[in-house]
Amino acid sequence: MPTSTLTEVKIRSIDTLLGAIVTDLDASQTIAPEVILQLKKALHVDAKRLITRHRHILIFKDQQLSDEQLLNFSLYFGALFVPSNETPVLASKPG
């Protein structure tokens, strides 16, 4: 799978402290390490005000991802909880 050649994405804060909107990113592709770092920093720092701001959500608009692509993209941000086959979680598939 090709690595994205993007070295920067657009991250726009929304009116509340809750999160930010990310554009110019195709999450279905392998993402360059510099872009992942930029996304992780967006969760912690408001560059305009130069203050630490712990956002809870990054919104990635207009993404068309398969289950596997969503899983791969999610892993950039850390480990994921995968329930055991005996633990029902909404409509998820076991394992």
Side-chain angles (χ1 to χ4, degrees), residues 2 9-10 17-19 24 28 32 35-36 39 51 53 58 62 72-73 79 87 93 95:
V9 294
K10 293 180 185 167
L17 296 177
L18 186 62
D24 294 344
S28 69
V35 174
I36 297 303
L39 295 173
I51 59 172
R53 174 183 288 174
L58 291 179
D62 303 319
N72 291 337
F73 182 70
T87 307
K93 298 181 215 172

Side-chain angles (χ1 to χ4, degrees), residues 26-29 60 63-71 73:
D26 182 356
S28 69
Q29 301 298 312
F60 300 91
Q63 300 294 317
Q64 300 292 322
L65 304 176
S66 68
D67 288 346
E68 183 178 353
Q69 289 168 330
L70 177 59
L71 175 66
F73 182 70

Side-chain angles (χ1 to χ4, degrees), residues 53-91:
R53 174 183 288 174
H54 295 283
R55 294 186 181 108
H56 298 280
I57 299 172
L58 291 179
I59 301 167
F60 300 91
K61 290 195 169 196
D62 303 319
Q63 300 294 317
Q64 300 292 322
L65 304 176
S66 68
D67 288 346
E68 183 178 353
Q69 289 168 330
L70 177 59
L71 175 66
N72 291 337
F73 182 70
S74 299
L75 288 170
Y76 287 124
F77 298 94
L80 302 177
F81 169 74
V82 179
S84 69
N85 291 340
E86 295 81 35
T87 307
V89 179
L90 299 176

